């Protein structure tokens, strides 16, 4: 049986849909399951009592970001330790693409990759690129102007749905993907200037200093401004463009064009 963690999240929901369509035997794990919930079970990396995997063959472990590094590392360590203790055969982990090496949240991902490789478990690492949906939302124009400081660097974001399709391919036959690290950036590349052109708005990026001041004044968690600033800096420096992606090795269809997805997200977030 396969357990998908993070069951209420957007990526996990898409993976669950694809896995069900493929006839895979899955269970949904989420912090939001309650005792009367038959179709889902409670899985919270912060609560050791919920990390019971003895009936699980494959653990599909969605990264639980959105916290300081020590918190994320503690969560992932607890989940992997429980998988080892309970005899899980294979862990599939959603990590971050190599293009994201300079992002503030890459550290916890790389730590988790190492923890998994040293665990003695069979593993597959899906190094997901930044979502096109995320880039679009961050580049939302205000009064006809995009101010987010992405610079002019081209990026290779990826459709969340393609990442879910790639995950389902791995879940259909985990042993065939054991010991593999897949780089899953998008297949096309564009800049926020291209996005602005397609939206018919002006792109006038602020400086990083202006962006940081604005984020520091926003109602955000303390870890969030550095996370966002690292996305802007990495994009502007050109690090978010991939020279290679393994997407086509895991999905049979052509990768979805990502500019339209970002466009839709930018319009929706207005
Ligand atoms: N590649 C990218 O551009 C990008 C962008 C944003 C985030 N991410 C990372 O990729 C993951 C999946 O993305 P998404 O779009 O599905 O994000 P999302 O919709 O915001 O979902 C957040 C996920 O984190 C899980 N989570 C949070 N705290 C947890 C805990 N203590 N124990 C177990 N699970 C916990 C949630 O599971 P519950 O069902 O238990 O709530 C949920 O699946 C995110 O969690 C984040 O680490 C990647």
């Amino acid at each position: 049986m396969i357990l998908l963690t993070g069951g209420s999240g957007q990526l996990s929901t898409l993976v669950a849909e694809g896995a069900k369509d493929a006839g895979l035997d899955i269970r949904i794990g989420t912090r939001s399951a309650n005792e009367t919930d038959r179709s889902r079970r409670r899985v919270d990396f912060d609560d050791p009592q919920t990390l019971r995997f003895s009936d699980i063959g494959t653990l599909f472990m969605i990264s639980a970001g959105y916290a300081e590094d020590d918190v994320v590392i503690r969560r992932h360590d607890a989940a992997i330790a429980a998988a080892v203790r309970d005899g899980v055969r294979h862990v599939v982990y959603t990590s971050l693409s190599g293009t994201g090496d300079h992002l503030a949240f890459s550290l916890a991902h790389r730590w988790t990759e190492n923890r998994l490789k040293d665990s003695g478990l069979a593993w597959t690492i899906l190094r997901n690129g930044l979502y096109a949906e995320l880039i679009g939302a961050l580049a939302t124009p205000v009064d006809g102007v995009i101010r987010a400081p992405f610079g002019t660097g081209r990026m290779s974001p990826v459709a969340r749905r393609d990442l879910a399709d790639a995950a389902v391919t791995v879940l259909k036959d985990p042993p065939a993907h054991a010991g593999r690290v897949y780089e899953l950036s998008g297949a096309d590349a564009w800049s926020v200037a291209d996005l602005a052109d397609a939206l018919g708005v002006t792109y006038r990026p602020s400086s990083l200093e202006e962006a940081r001041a604005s984020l520091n004044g926003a109602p955000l968690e303390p870890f969030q401004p550095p996370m966002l600033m690292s996305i802007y800096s990495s994009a502007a420096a050109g690090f978010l463009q991939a020279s290679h992606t393994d997407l086509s090795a895991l999905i049979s269809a052509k990768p979805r064009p990502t500019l339209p997805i970002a466009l839709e997200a930018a319009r929706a977030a207005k």
Side-chain angles (χ1 to χ4, degrees):
M1 191 198 304
I2 299 165
L3 179 68
L4 306 182
T5 73
S8 71
Q10 300 168 87
L11 180 61
S12 194
T13 300
L14 293 173
V15 175
E17 282 170 17
K20 279 181 196 151
D21 288 347
L24 301 179
D25 182 17
I26 61 160
R27 293 291 178 280
I28 308 293
T30 174
R31 292 168 301 168
S32 51
N34 58 40
E35 307 226 324
T36 58
D37 211 336
R38 293 230 179 98
S39 61
R40 308 186 309 163
R41 67 165 78 171
R42 198 161 162 259
V43 174
D44 180 347
F45 298 163
D46 289 326
D47 179 356
Q49 296 304 319
T50 69
L51 304 179
R52 304 271 176 222
F53 302 141
S54 50
D55 57 340
I56 300 303
T58 300
L59 180 68
F60 185 78
M61 186 177 155
I62 296 258
S63 59
Y66 306 124
E68 296 289 354
D69 287 341
D70 56 346
V71 175
V72 179
I73 285 172
R74 197 167 57 236
R75 287 175 178 165
H76 293 177
D77 186 40
I80 294 168
V84 172
R85 180 201 63 211
D86 292 344
V88 168
R89 283 196 300 279
H90 197 118
V91 174
V92 180
Y93 172 64
T94 63
S95 187
L96 175 68
S97 61
T99 57
D101 273 339
H102 299 280
L103 296 171
F105 39 100
S106 70
L107 186 146
H109 282 295
R110 299 295 174 252
W111 185 92
T112 307
E113 291 180 1
N114 290 341
R115 173 73 175 86
L116 206 43
K117 289 174 181 173
D118 292 342
S119 68
L121 296 164
W123 52 265
T124 305
I125 292 169
L126 303 177
R127 283 185 152 198
N128 292 347
L130 290 186
Y131 306 142
E133 293 87 342
L134 172 73
I135 301 298
L138 291 177
T140 298
V142 177
D143 297 330
V145 183
I146 298 176
R147 300 294 324 271
F150 282 95
T152 53
R154 280 151 61 83
M155 296 170 275
S156 312
V158 60
R160 204 190 255 111
R161 211 168 261 283
D162 279 342
L163 294 173
D165 290 347
V168 172
T169 300
V170 171
L171 291 176
K172 281 179 185 164
D173 187 6
H177 302 278
R180 298 293 305 272
V181 178
Y182 292 106
E183 285 288 343
L184 300 175
S185 288
D188 48 10
W190 43 267
S191 69
V192 169
D194 298 327
L195 181 71
D197 276 349
L199 275 170
V201 301
T202 304
Y203 178 42
R204 200 162 53 239
S206 65
S207 67
L208 290 177
E209 188 179 5
E210 287 166 333
R212 190 182 292 277
S214 156
L215 290 172
N216 284 342
L220 295 171
E221 299 286 337
F223 66 85
Q224 288 178 309
M227 257 188 187
L228 292 165
M229 291 301 297
S230 70
I231 294 177
Y232 298 141
S233 297
S234 288
F239 287 116
L240 297 184
Q241 179 168 10
S243 55
H244 163 78
T245 176
D246 294 319
L247 209 49
S248 294
L250 293 183
I251 61 175
S252 49
K254 266 184 82 170
R256 291 169 171 85
T258 54
L259 188 58
I261 294 171
L263 270 177
E264 196 183 324
R267 288 198 184 107
K270 260 192 215 174

